[in-house]
Amino acid sequence: MNSPTVSKERLRSIIRSHKRWDIVFGIVGLMAMSVGILTLVALFAQMVIDGFPRLTAEFFTNFPSRRAGQAGIVSAWVGSLLVMLVTALFAIPVGIASAIYLEEYARKNWFTDVIEINITNLAGVPSIVYGLLTLGLFVYTFAFSQSILSAGLTLALLILPIVIVATREALRAIPQTVREAAYACGATKWQVCSDHLIPYGMPGILTGGIIGLSRAIGETEPIITIGALTFIAFLPPAPFVEGAGMFDWLMSPFTVMPIQIFNWTPRPDPAFHANAAAASLVLVVLTLSMNATAIWLRYRLRKNLKW
C-alpha cells in the first residue's frame, strides 16, 4: 500500500540530489571561468601599465633601434598592414568562390566528400606546418624569396579553411525557399548566387573573413619560418616613387608586429620590455577592433535583410 508513496519520496530525493549537483557544477564552472577571466584581466592590466606610457607619436613613426627610448614600430605595423592586404586579396575571394562551388555547384560524391574532409582537417593544422610548406613552395620553388608576397600567401593558406567553412555555413543558413523562388522566376544558378545567396549570406561571410584575418595578424611561426626579418630599418618602396614599380613592394623584405614583439621580449633591458608591452597593446587593440567590426557588420547587415 505504501509503495507509491515510497517511490514518490525516492523520486523527490533523486531530484533534490541532482539539483544539488547542478548547483555544485555551476559554482565550479563559475570559479573556473573566473580564474581564466581574472588572469586575462591581470595580464592585460599589466600590459597597459607597462606599455601605455610608450604610446607616443614617435613610437609609431620611429624605426627599431638598439636604444630602447628611440625604438619604434613603424616598419612592423606597415609590414603587418601590407601582409594583411595580400592575405585578404587572396584568401577572401578564393575562399568565397570555393565555398559557393562546394555548396551550390559541386555534385555530392566521394570526391567532394574528400575535399570537405580535407578542408575541415586543414582548419586544425598547426600554423608551423603551413610555414614549412610555403617555405618550400613560395620561397624556393616559385622564388618569391622572403617577401611580403610570400608572407601574405602563407597566411592566406592558413585562414582559407576558416573563410570556406564560414561562407558555407552562411549559405546553408539561407532558407531553401529563397533558391526555389528565384529558380521559379527563371533565374540561372549564378543569378541565384550573385543576386540572392551572396547578399543574404554576407553577414556570415564578412564575419568569417575578418575573424580569419584577426587570427592571421597575430601569427608568428609561419612568418619566422619563411624568413621574416627581426630587425628592419626601412619601409617597402612606395609605388611610382624613385623609379619603383607599382608592385615592387610585394617583393620587399618585411617584418610584422608579432616578430617585433618577439625581438624585444628576451632582451635584459626593462625599457625594451616596455616597448614590447606597448607593441602588444597595439596588436591586441587592432585584433579586438577587427572582431568588433565583424560583430557590427553582422548586426547591421542582418538588420537590413528582408527574406
Side-chain angles (χ1 to χ4, degrees):
M1 296 295 293
N2 295 332
S3 58
T5 304
V6 173
S7 58
K8 288 181 180 179
E9 291 296 331
R10 178 63 177 170
L11 182 60
R12 292 193 185 98
S13 176
I14 293 174
I15 293 174
R16 286 194 296 269
S17 176
H18 287 177
K19 287 184 177 180
R20 285 194 296 269
W21 280 110
D22 285 342
I23 295 173
V24 171
F25 180 78
I27 294 174
V28 172
L30 180 61
M31 292 174 61
M33 183 182 68
S34 300
V35 170
I37 293 177
L38 291 176
T39 302
L40 180 62
V41 170
L43 292 174
F44 186 78
Q46 186 64 43
M47 181 175 62
V48 172
I49 294 172
D50 294 340
F52 188 78
R54 287 289 294 126
L55 294 180
T56 61
E58 290 76 15
F59 186 71
F60 288 94
T61 56
N62 288 352
F63 287 99
S65 173
R66 293 180 176 84
R67 298 180 180 179
Q70 299 176 358
I73 59 171
V74 61
S75 56
W77 70 260
V78 170
S80 293
L81 291 179
L82 293 178
V83 169
M84 286 301 101
L85 175 62
V86 176
T87 301
L89 290 177
F90 280 92
I92 294 179
V94 173
I96 295 175
S98 301
I100 293 174
Y101 172 77
L102 290 173
E103 199 63 31
E104 302 296 330
Y105 286 86
R107 296 181 179 179
K108 305 302 179 183
N109 50 35
W110 67 269
F111 182 69
T112 55
D113 290 340
V114 170
I115 294 177
E116 291 178 1
I117 292 172
N118 279 279
I119 291 174
T120 304
N121 291 335
L122 286 174
V125 172
S127 58
I128 187 65
V129 177
Y130 286 95
L132 294 172
L133 170 66
T134 54
L135 177 65
L137 182 63
F138 298 136
V139 176
Y140 294 133
T141 303
F142 293 157
F144 291 159
S145 70
Q146 293 86 359
S147 62
I148 293 174
L149 180 61
S150 296
L153 293 175
T154 299
L155 297 179
L157 290 180
L158 178 66
I159 70 171
L160 189 60
I162 300 175
V163 178
I164 293 175
V165 171
T167 303
R168 295 191 67 185
E169 291 299 326
L171 295 177
R172 289 173 181 173
I174 300 174
Q176 187 64 28
T177 53
V178 173
R179 298 172 175 83
E180 294 173 354
Y183 287 134
C185 293
T188 63
K189 187 177 289 292
W190 171 243
Q191 289 173 331
V192 172
C193 293
S194 61
D195 296 339
H196 300 281
L197 300 185
I198 294 178
Y200 290 150
M202 191 56 67
I205 295 172
L206 288 178
T207 300
I210 296 176
I211 290 176
L213 291 174
S214 65
R215 177 197 172 183
I217 199 172
E219 288 291 342
T220 306
E221 292 91 345
I223 303 300
I224 292 178
T225 304
I226 65 172
L229 301 178
T230 56
F231 184 91
I232 183 170
F234 58 89
L235 294 177
F240 308 115
V241 175
E242 296 181 358
M246 183 175 181
F247 299 106
D248 286 355
W249 58 272
L250 284 172
M251 306 307 296
S252 174
F254 71 100
T255 190
V256 291
M257 293 286 291
I259 292 181
Q260 187 63 69
I261 297 169
F262 172 79
N263 185 30
W264 281 335
T265 301
R267 299 194 179 189
D269 188 353
F272 281 111
H273 297 170
N275 289 346
S280 300
L281 182 59
V282 173
L283 187 60
V284 168
V285 170
L286 183 58
T287 303
L288 293 177
S289 300
M290 295 176 69
N291 284 274
T293 301
I295 295 173
W296 180 78
L297 286 174
R298 181 175 59 188
Y299 171 77
R300 289 298 303 270
L301 291 174
R302 285 181 176 176
K303 186 178 179 180
N304 296 330
L305 285 179
K306 296 181 180 180
W307 300 101

